[in-house]
Amino acid sequence: MTGAARNFFILALLYAICGMLLGLYMGLSQDHSQMPVHAHAMVLGWLMSGFFAFFYHFFPAIGQTRLATAHFWLTAASGIILLVALFFLFSGNTMFEPVAGI
């Protein structure tokens, strides 16, 4: 894997690790208030980033374009912002609701 495929695969692994750690924390503490954050990390982070990685792996010419690089950075930045905003939102801080909505 090279280029965007490798970047998305690494991002997918990071999302999977973060999602699993959050799920482990919720299970051990019996506090499931962050379940939506866990679900978004696993589906929007791990699953979609993994799908993008395999797409760019199967079509390497597309993965070498500047558009693929922009796709990676927009996906990475927006995903991190979404998960942080959701975490604070479900912790009771409602001022992050517009950020999560955007």
Side-chain angles (χ1 to χ4, degrees):
M1 269 188 204
T2 59
R6 184 192 67 223
N7 293 342
F8 272 111
F9 188 72
I10 292 170
L11 185 64
L13 290 176
L14 291 174
Y15 275 123
I17 291 168
C18 290
M20 285 187 277
L21 288 175
L22 181 58
L24 183 63
Y25 167 76
M26 288 188 309
L28 291 174
S29 68
Q30 295 299 310
D31 177 17
H32 294 92
S33 62
Q34 295 295 332
M35 181 66 77
V37 181
H38 169 73
H40 280 82
M42 297 307 288
V43 174
L44 293 179
W46 176 71
L47 185 66
M48 284 182 51
S49 294
F51 175 78
F52 293 148
F54 285 110
F55 173 80
Y56 287 123
H57 179 70
F58 291 135
F59 301 100
I62 298 172
Q64 300 300 324
T65 64
R66 289 190 330 196
L67 187 60
T69 303
H71 177 214
F72 169 75
W73 286 111
L74 284 172
T75 301
S78 63
I80 291 168
I81 291 169
L82 173 67
L83 292 180
V84 170
L86 283 176
F87 182 83
F88 285 118
L89 179 64
F90 287 105
S91 294
N93 196 342
T94 57
M95 74 177 203
F96 283 93
E97 189 171 359
V99 177
I102 291 171

